Amino acid sequence: MFRTRLISGIILVLIALVTIMSGGAILAIVLCGISMIAYRELTKACGVSTEDKQTDAPVVAGLVMTVLYYAVLFAALYPADGVKSLDGVYPVLMAAVVLTLLLLLFLYVFTFPKYKAEKIFAAMFAYLYGPVMLSFIYLIREGFQQGNYLVWFILLCSWGSDTCAYAVGVLFGRHKMTPRLSPKKSIEGAVGGIVGAALLFVIYTHLAINRCTDADISLVLAAVLGAVGALVSMVGDLAASAIKRDHDIKDYGKLIPGHGGIMDRFDSVIIASPLIFWGLVLISRLGGVGL
């Protein structure tokens, strides 16, 4: 099992390197595909699909809106005049959320009583949780002048903090953080993950971002962003686990050998992405990075 997880982990890292470094259309297409899988896993876990069908109308609606969302998002960040700006992206985000909700409400009303309100709510939740929140990876990569460097903050505060938390938890873990939800996670490990992420952010900011780009991010702000990002990542990890326990499933899927599905591997990344984005927007207002 360890060997399988290790090989899968290495492949994931390589895919992340290639797609994130490429950016543009390649990253948009890959993220769209990952978002669709995450949406499908969440809707399946939450029981949106009926027992006699693999895919129901609310699921199809969410998948279609995911594709349209990424297509419009790409167009907004690559306008015809060639001048990229995040200003045109915010209306796209709002429109995507509102139009998806309206579409699901149309399905609910005109097929009533085929779909229960709980399924419509779950479909909308899955759309926000998966596709929309994952898209912030693309917003960071393509929306900031130093995006090809800044986007790695997401992996540092999710996978990096998780590694630090695991190491500290194994060595010093004594007090259980959420014994009913995740018995192996300790308070000591959580503190180690937060502190570790803060240090990783400081080191990466000093050695990579501030030296290799024209950015000038305060190391104090970098540490705070890393610490808060790590905390949010842990909540994302536990939230995904809580959904699985609520619906009595072990894994969201079997796509990634040794890890499970997209939601099993990207649970903390999904939650961390918007937080890092808004943190960087705040830093840009202080002149640390360019939009």
Side-chain angles (χ1 to χ4, degrees), residues 45 241-251:
S241 297
I243 293 173
K244 289 192 290 186
R245 288 186 179 274
D246 273 346
H247 296 87
D248 196 28
I249 59 175
K250 184 178 183 298
D251 294 315

Side-chain angles (χ1 to χ4, degrees), residues 80-150:
D81 59 10
V83 180
K84 293 196 297 183
S85 174
L86 281 175
D87 293 337
V89 172
Y90 300 123
V92 172
L93 283 170
M94 291 302 300
V97 172
V98 173
L99 290 176
T100 302
L101 177 59
L102 287 175
L103 179 57
L104 290 173
L105 289 177
F106 267 89
L107 287 173
Y108 179 50
V109 169
F110 291 105
T111 62
F112 189 85
K114 182 176 182 179
Y115 301 109
K116 299 296 183 182
E118 291 79 5
K119 290 188 175 183
I120 300 298
F121 298 158
M124 189 63 201
F125 166 76
Y127 181 76
L128 293 173
Y129 195 177
V132 173
M133 296 187 77
L134 271 170
S135 70
F136 282 90
I137 297 175
Y138 194 71
L139 290 175
I140 294 174
R141 173 62 179 85
E142 300 299 319
F144 289 89
Q145 294 176 17
Q146 305 86 6
N148 56 330
Y149 285 87
L150 298 173

Side-chain angles (χ1 to χ4, degrees), residues 35-253:
S35 296
M36 293 173 71
I37 296 171
Y39 179 79
R40 187 68 186 90
E41 289 176 351
L42 281 166
T43 52
K44 185 177 180 181
C46 294
V48 177
S49 298
T50 55
E51 295 181 358
D52 59 337
K53 290 184 178 181
Q54 291 294 318
T55 306
D56 270 288
V59 179
V60 173
L63 293 174
V64 170
M65 290 305 296
T66 296
V67 175
L68 291 176
Y69 171 57
Y70 273 94
V72 176
L73 188 61
F74 177 79
L77 283 170
Y78 285 88
D81 59 10
V83 180
K84 293 196 297 183
S85 174
L86 281 175
D87 293 337
V89 172
Y90 300 123
V92 172
L93 283 170
M94 291 302 300
V97 172
V98 173
L99 290 176
T100 302
L101 177 59
L102 287 175
L103 179 57
L104 290 173
L105 289 177
F106 267 89
L107 287 173
Y108 179 50
V109 169
F110 291 105
T111 62
F112 189 85
K114 182 176 182 179
Y115 301 109
K116 299 296 183 182
E118 291 79 5
K119 290 188 175 183
I120 300 298
F121 298 158
M124 189 63 201
F125 166 76
Y127 181 76
L128 293 173
Y129 195 177
V132 173
M133 296 187 77
L134 271 170
S135 70
F136 282 90
I137 297 175
Y138 194 71
L139 290 175
I140 294 174
R141 173 62 179 85
E142 300 299 319
F144 289 89
Q145 294 176 17
Q146 305 86 6
N148 56 330
Y149 285 87
L150 298 173
V151 70
W152 300 104
F153 273 153
I154 297 172
L155 299 186
L156 283 178
C157 79
S158 52
W159 294 351
S161 67
D162 185 57
T163 301
C164 293
Y166 175 78
V168 174
V170 169
L171 293 173
F172 306 106
R174 297 292 183 273
H175 303 87
K176 303 299 182 184
M177 185 168 62
T178 54
R180 296 182 64 182
L181 183 57
S182 186
K184 294 183 179 180
K185 294 186 183 298
S186 65
I187 296 176
E188 293 83 359
V191 173
I194 293 172
V195 174
L199 290 175
L200 288 172
F201 268 54
V202 168
I203 294 170
Y204 180 70
T205 298
H206 177 65
L207 296 180
I209 296 177
N210 288 350
R211 286 193 177 185
C212 299
T213 73
D214 58 353
D216 184 20
I217 300 177
S218 163
L219 297 184
V220 174
L221 288 178
V224 172
L225 184 60
V228 176
L231 179 61
V232 171
S233 296
M234 293 177 192
V235 173
D237 184 13
L238 292 171
S241 297
I243 293 173
K244 289 192 290 186
R245 288 186 179 274
D246 273 346
H247 296 87
D248 196 28
I249 59 175
K250 184 178 183 298
D251 294 315
Y252 282 99

